[in-house]
Amino acid sequence: MREAFHDQLDAIFVDLATMCGQVETAVNRATASLMSGDAAIAEEVISADRAIDANRERVEDNAFALLSLQQPVAGDLRVVVSALRMVSELERMGDLSVHVAKIARLRVPNIAVPESIQDTVVKMAETAEDMVRRVKAIIADRDVEAAIELGRDDEVMDQLRRKSFAELLGDDWQHGVEAAVDIALLGRYYERIADHAVSVANRVIFVVTGEQVSRADR
Amino acid sequence: MREAFHDQLDAIFVDLATMCGQVETAVNRATASLMSGDAAIAEEVISADRAIDANRERVEDNAFALLSLQQPVAGDLRVVVSALRMVSELERMGDLSVHVAKIARLRVPNIAVPESIQDTVVKMAETAEDMVRRVKAIIADRDVEAAIELGRDDEVMDQLRRKSFAELLGDDWQHGVEAAVDIALLGRYYERIADHAVSVANRVIFVVTGEQVSRADR
């Protein structure tokens, strides 16, 4: 019984890592559409989100089957519920990538991000993507050390977000209200992707060690 | 056994309705701080969030105890997991109210929302608060009809958000970038509160009828 439980749980974690890979692609392509103003890439991100949603349903069904058939208690039960939460967060990260792609699409054939602030926005995007890539490995390897490290690096995104606000609200800003609003919302989306990445990593720590990692809410 | 299960489940739903009442207060007070520029009210919202978080832990503990002790399967299992998801969403709605309060606090002694757009922002805030109030009753009464109606009314928030963008990005906007960025983010926070309200209402429909309500992702 215990062995069957762990085999099924492993299968769920394989699916979660796969989903995380899909999210990584979504973040990458959303940023590509944003920085190129290419509507086709934006549409691709928006369409591909259906595959992430389908995987969510699959993982949820498997997790419920595991709960029903194996009737885990105590720690095992919390691990399966953690997996259900991870799947919700990964789906949400996909949705946030779609939001980025939709801002890109809205400004086609222009590029939503003015040149003077592209460096900061690209760094936010790369930070988010890098965090998602690391979470994929953290899930696949149940790597607690890497998960702890990810939580520490979250500060980078906060700094970039502050930097973007300083640029938007500075006297030098010459790109008007529309671009500023786009950048503020894009920053929010990338920040939320990073927040969810840390949260998923913290759930991996819990799954492996049984220790809850609390952190400030965003 | 079944009776014990339903008694414990009822107790969880009482706690969820209580939490929803706390969220309603948070939305109300956050809006009050925003529209008055009163730092003390903003601080009150930020501090009060701890009580929402504490209630989340309590409901989670009770839901896990229920799962461990009663070992529900199939539909009953999904109902308890739904309750766990509702509690996460209610906590998140509290966090979003804190975000509103923090924008208010950032602009003290000024008021973040310029007079020309106050009407639209107040309507967004009232819509969000009204939806939270209705969800509280929907949870308490397991009211499927009211839950279906709430999903339909969600369109109001979309219209208000579009209206706010039209105002921000119109030629008449004379309040600069900072105010525009604040309004865009405030709109996002109120919209997310409304989204979560609909999602919680949909979970009540599932709990009562066993039917999943799907909706477009935000």
Side-chain angles (χ1 to χ4, degrees):
Chain A
M1 199 69 164
R2 288 280 303 175
E3 206 171 311
F5 175 79
H6 285 287
D7 286 351
Q8 288 175 47
L9 191 62
D10 283 348
I12 287 171
F13 274 80
V14 168
D15 283 341
L16 287 172
T18 303
M19 260 183 92
C20 200
Q22 293 175 303
V23 172
E24 185 192 338
T25 303
V27 176
N28 177 286
R29 304 311 290 156
T31 304
S33 70
L34 187 66
M35 294 304 166
S36 65
D38 185 332
I41 306 177
E43 293 298 343
E44 186 195 297
V45 175
I46 294 162
S47 307
D49 195 50
R50 261 178 255 137
I52 297 178
D53 293 349
N55 258 333
R56 172 186 60 90
E57 280 182 31
R58 192 179 122 96
V59 176
E60 283 185 356
D61 288 347
N62 291 340
F64 278 114
L66 182 57
L67 286 172
S68 277
L69 296 173
Q70 304 287 346
Q71 300 265 310
V73 292
D76 286 349
L77 178 64
R78 283 181 182 263
V79 165
V80 182
V81 173
S82 290
L84 280 167
R85 286 175 167 165
M86 288 162 77
V87 80
S88 298
E89 299 204 77
L90 289 167
E91 188 207 5
R92 187 82 207 123
M93 291 156 83
D95 294 341
L96 289 159
S97 306
V98 167
H99 287 327
V100 171
K102 284 187 175 169
I103 288 186
R105 187 175 66 175
L106 200 60
R107 303 297 169 223
V108 168
N110 297 317
I111 293 174
V113 184
E115 215 179 313
S116 71
I117 202 169
Q118 280 184 5
D119 187 46
T120 307
V121 174
V122 167
K123 275 187 195 139
M124 283 198 280
E126 285 175 351
T127 302
E129 188 184 333
D130 178 60
M131 290 173 84
V132 176
R133 188 182 309 113
R134 286 159 66 189
V135 168
K136 187 179 61 178
I138 288 166
I139 296 170
D141 306 334
R142 310 274 219 291
D143 187 339
V144 171
E145 284 304 308
I148 293 168
E149 215 179 292
L150 191 76
R152 282 197 205 108
D153 293 356
D154 190 30
E155 185 55 28
V156 176
M157 186 61 96
D158 291 348
Q159 283 164 7
L160 288 167
R161 191 106 198 275
R162 276 195 295 274
K163 187 160 183 279
S164 74
F165 278 119
E167 289 174 55
L168 293 183
L169 305 177
D171 293 335
D172 295 345
W173 183 256
Q174 288 168 349
H175 308 287
V177 167
E178 184 179 86
V181 165
D182 283 347
I183 305 294
L185 291 173
L186 288 166
R188 176 74 187 156
Y189 301 146
Y190 283 123
E191 182 189 42
R192 289 297 299 156
I193 290 170
D195 287 345
H196 283 296
V198 172
S199 174
V200 170
N202 286 344
R203 294 194 200 283
V204 172
I205 298 176
F206 172 73
V207 164
V208 178
T209 68
E211 304 266 322
Q212 289 277 10
V213 184
S214 68
R215 70 193 279 269
D217 295 308
R218 301 307 174 90
Chain B
M1 196 72 162
R2 289 280 304 176
E3 206 171 310
F5 174 81
H6 285 286
D7 286 350
Q8 287 174 48
L9 192 63
D10 283 347
I12 287 171
F13 274 80
V14 168
D15 283 341
L16 286 172
T18 303
M19 260 183 93
C20 200
Q22 292 174 304
V23 172
E24 184 192 339
T25 303
V27 177
N28 177 286
R29 302 312 289 156
T31 305
S33 69
L34 187 66
M35 294 304 166
S36 65
D38 186 331
I41 306 177
E43 294 297 344
E44 186 194 299
V45 175
I46 295 162
S47 308
D49 194 49
R50 260 176 256 138
I52 297 178
D53 292 349
N55 257 333
R56 171 186 59 91
E57 283 183 27
R58 194 178 122 96
V59 176
E60 284 186 354
D61 288 347
N62 290 339
F64 278 113
L66 182 56
L67 285 173
S68 277
L69 296 173
Q70 304 287 346
Q71 301 265 310
V73 292
D76 285 350
L77 178 63
R78 284 181 181 263
V79 165
V80 181
V81 173
S82 290
L84 280 167
R85 288 176 164 163
M86 289 162 76
V87 79
S88 297
E89 299 204 78
L90 290 167
E91 188 208 5
R92 187 81 208 125
M93 291 156 83
D95 294 342
L96 289 160
S97 307
V98 166
H99 287 327
V100 171
K102 283 186 175 170
I103 289 187
R105 187 175 67 175
L106 200 61
R107 304 297 169 220
V108 167
N110 297 317
I111 293 172
V113 184
E115 214 178 314
S116 71
I117 200 168
Q118 281 183 4
D119 186 46
T120 307
V121 174
V122 167
K123 274 188 196 140
M124 283 198 279
E126 284 174 351
T127 302
E129 187 183 333
D130 177 60
M131 290 171 85
V132 176
R133 186 181 311 113
R134 286 159 66 190
V135 168
K136 187 178 64 178
I138 288 166
I139 296 170
D141 306 335
R142 310 274 216 293
D143 187 339
V144 172
E145 284 305 308
I148 293 167
E149 213 180 294
L150 191 74
R152 282 197 208 109
D153 293 356
D154 192 29
E155 187 54 28
V156 176
M157 185 61 93
D158 292 349
Q159 284 164 4
L160 287 167
R161 190 105 198 278
R162 277 196 293 275
K163 186 161 185 278
S164 75
F165 278 119
E167 289 175 54
L168 293 182
L169 304 177
D171 292 336
D172 294 345
W173 184 256
Q174 289 168 351
H175 308 288
V177 168
E178 185 178 87
V181 165
D182 283 347
I183 305 296
L185 290 172
L186 288 165
R188 176 74 186 155
Y189 300 146
Y190 283 123
E191 182 189 42
R192 288 297 299 156
I193 291 170
D195 288 344
H196 283 296
V198 172
S199 174
V200 170
N202 285 345
R203 293 192 200 285
V204 171
I205 297 176
F206 173 71
V207 164
V208 177
T209 67
E211 304 267 322
Q212 288 279 9
V213 184
S214 68
R215 69 193 281 268
D217 294 310
R218 300 308 172 89

